[in-house]
Amino acid sequence: MVLLKCPVCGGDVQVDDNALPGEVIEHECGALLEVYMKDGKLALRVAEQIGEDWGE
Amino acid sequence: MRLGVAYDVLRWEERDLFSEARKLGYDVRPLYIKDYADLVGNSIGENLDAVIQRGVSHSRALISTTLLESQGLRVFNDSLTLVRCENKAITLSLLVKSGVNIPRTAIAFSKEKALEIARKLGYPVVIKPIEGSWGRMVAKAVDDDSLYSLMEYQDYTTSQFRTAYVIQEFVRKPDRDIRIFVIGDEAPVGIYRVNKANWKTNTALGAKAEPLKIDPELRELAMKVKDVIGGFFLGIDVFEDPDRGYVVNEVNGVPEYKNTVRVNNFNVSGFLLKKLAEVIKK
């Protein structure tokens, strides 16, 4: 597991070593977070809101 | 097979594709398109036999497919299929030209003409965005007043097609519609999407999935739609009209299938991956 910080509340977030970019995690503070790669390492950012062009 | 899966949000379907591809011994490469940035024409550096497009954002899916195709990669579904699916005016025009029954649908470029044609269709009518999904902004107008207001709401969206009004008859379907999947050259599975509380039968809006009994007419219709729209993997939405029988409402180029797998106990990812291997070998 990788220990990351929630970009909203600053709390700890445990992320699986094998997590892939695009995974969405709901943090205990209520924030929806998205895994992405920053400088070759797993990182977290606030998940994108559902867009007007999202769907099937 | 070396397989890329292009995606932007990792949903159940994408995870299942990765898992099933590995079970089949495929070398599967996740392609996270959201953070993609490169010169047009530059290769992504992967010698892939095929890419499955799974982008949830229509614009990202279409553009990334085009970029991957420009590198000589085979993407499923291809960019032209995505265009034909995403724009309802294009989808319905192609279908009706080929003799496929669709809901009576009008497109107007002014509110006045939209009101005129809605009166001809007869209220209630349905107004929907020319591009959209999950039932978003699909609304029922019961009279001129409500239709006018709904068009005004559309005017203030950011859609590039906001001044094209899609006005459709309200099909008196039962409390359900049909989602049938085409995978390669077969239509193996589908669901009824049942909603007794809401005329909109999108599972995204709470419709319940039930196993679909695919009769020969429905199977033939699905394959005809595939012939018209193209592509490899399609989710076709069909209404059961009391007078005309099956009418095709829309075609989805990046269909979701979690509920289909669950209620049918049918391995959509596995079936799709095996069919894809057949296509690649040809």
Side-chain angles (χ1 to χ4, degrees):
Chain A
M1 298 293 273
V2 182
L3 185 65
L4 299 173
K5 293 288 181 192
C6 171
V8 176
C9 74
D12 290 344
V13 187
Q14 295 273 0
V15 178
D16 194 285
D17 294 310
N18 298 318
L20 287 171
E23 284 193 30
V24 175
I25 297 168
E26 186 173 0
H27 189 229
E28 60 192 23
C29 72
L32 276 183
L33 306 174
E34 173 185 84
V35 176
Y36 74 111
M37 297 299 286
K38 186 178 181 186
D39 302 326
K41 292 180 180 171
L42 292 173
L44 292 171
R45 61 189 171 196
V46 176
E48 189 179 358
Q49 296 287 310
I50 292 173
E52 196 171 280
D53 73 331
W54 282 30
E56 298 189 80
Chain B
M1 177 160 68
R2 285 172 65 90
L3 174 72
V5 177
Y7 72 99
D8 48 8
V9 177
L10 196 67
R11 298 167 290 179
W12 181 90
E13 286 84 354
E14 290 73 46
R15 290 175 197 275
D16 195 54
L17 275 172
F18 294 144
S19 166
E20 291 298 323
R22 287 182 183 121
K23 278 186 208 165
L24 291 168
Y26 296 177
D27 181 1
V28 59
R29 304 295 170 103
L31 304 175
Y32 183 54
I33 55 176
K34 194 170 158 184
D35 282 346
Y36 174 86
D38 206 345
L39 293 173
V40 175
N42 266 11
S43 168
I44 57 170
E46 302 270 9
N47 183 23
L48 300 170
D49 297 306
V51 176
I52 298 175
Q53 177 56 257
R54 293 295 310 166
V56 72
S57 152
H58 289 175
S59 52
R60 280 195 290 255
L62 175 60
I63 293 166
S64 63
T65 298
T66 307
L67 294 171
L68 292 165
E69 286 171 343
S70 78
Q71 298 167 29
L73 294 168
R74 297 178 71 181
V75 187
F76 301 87
N77 288 319
D78 61 278
S79 53
L80 282 177
T81 299
L82 293 180
V83 170
R84 293 186 197 112
C85 291
E86 285 164 12
N87 185 304
K88 292 179 176 65
I90 295 175
T91 310
L92 295 174
S93 298
L94 289 170
L95 291 176
V96 83
K97 184 179 165 193
S98 301
V100 174
N101 281 338
I102 62 166
R104 292 163 67 216
T105 306
I107 294 180
F109 298 104
S110 74
K111 293 187 194 60
E112 293 69 26
K113 290 294 176 188
L115 291 171
E116 274 179 30
I117 205 141
R119 289 178 206 127
K120 282 183 192 162
L121 285 171
Y123 285 105
V125 295
V126 173
I127 176 171
K128 56 172 71 172
I130 224 164
E131 289 192 354
S133 199
W134 297 338
R136 192 172 48 243
M137 287 183 59
V138 177
K140 181 165 64 174
V142 296
D143 54 22
D144 278 4
D145 182 45
S146 55
L147 179 58
Y148 195 89
S149 297
L150 291 164
M151 288 189 286
E152 281 190 318
Y153 279 112
Q154 180 174 308
D155 289 345
Y156 287 98
T157 66
T158 56
S159 164
Q160 64 173 316
F161 299 110
R162 59 186 173 274
T163 54
Y165 306 108
V166 179
I167 311 293
Q168 199 168 61
E169 69 168 315
F170 183 83
V171 176
R172 307 279 175 187
K173 59 184 170 54
D175 297 334
R176 68 182 190 189
D177 74 357
I178 289 167
R179 160 65 61 87
I180 182 167
F181 291 86
V182 166
I183 307 174
D185 56 0
E186 293 190 45
V189 72
I191 50 172
Y192 292 110
R193 305 187 300 180
V194 183
N195 197 334
K196 295 186 189 308
N198 189 339
W199 61 275
K200 291 195 272 187
T201 40
N202 307 78
T203 49
L205 298 175
K208 189 174 160 233
E210 293 180 3
L212 171 67
K213 187 175 180 296
I214 303 176
D215 62 43
E217 184 188 353
L218 188 56
R219 195 182 303 277
E220 190 180 325
L221 174 65
M223 296 318 298
K224 184 167 186 182
V225 169
K226 194 254 186 188
D227 287 343
V228 174
I229 300 296
F232 171 77
F233 181 40
L234 303 173
I236 303 167
D237 294 346
V238 182
F239 293 159
E240 297 158 283
D241 181 86
D243 300 320
R244 289 167 293 176
Y246 295 130
V247 294
V248 176
N249 187 44
E250 63 180 71
V251 184
N252 299 277
V254 187
E256 294 169 326
Y257 51 90
K258 180 181 172 183
N259 291 316
T260 302
V261 170
R262 180 175 54 81
V263 302
N264 286 288
N265 197 24
F266 182 90
N267 184 348
V268 171
S269 296
F271 192 91
L272 185 156
L273 290 162
K274 287 173 190 165
K275 280 283 171 191
L276 191 59
E278 290 174 17
V279 171
I280 297 301
K281 279 181 194 163
K282 282 180 186 168

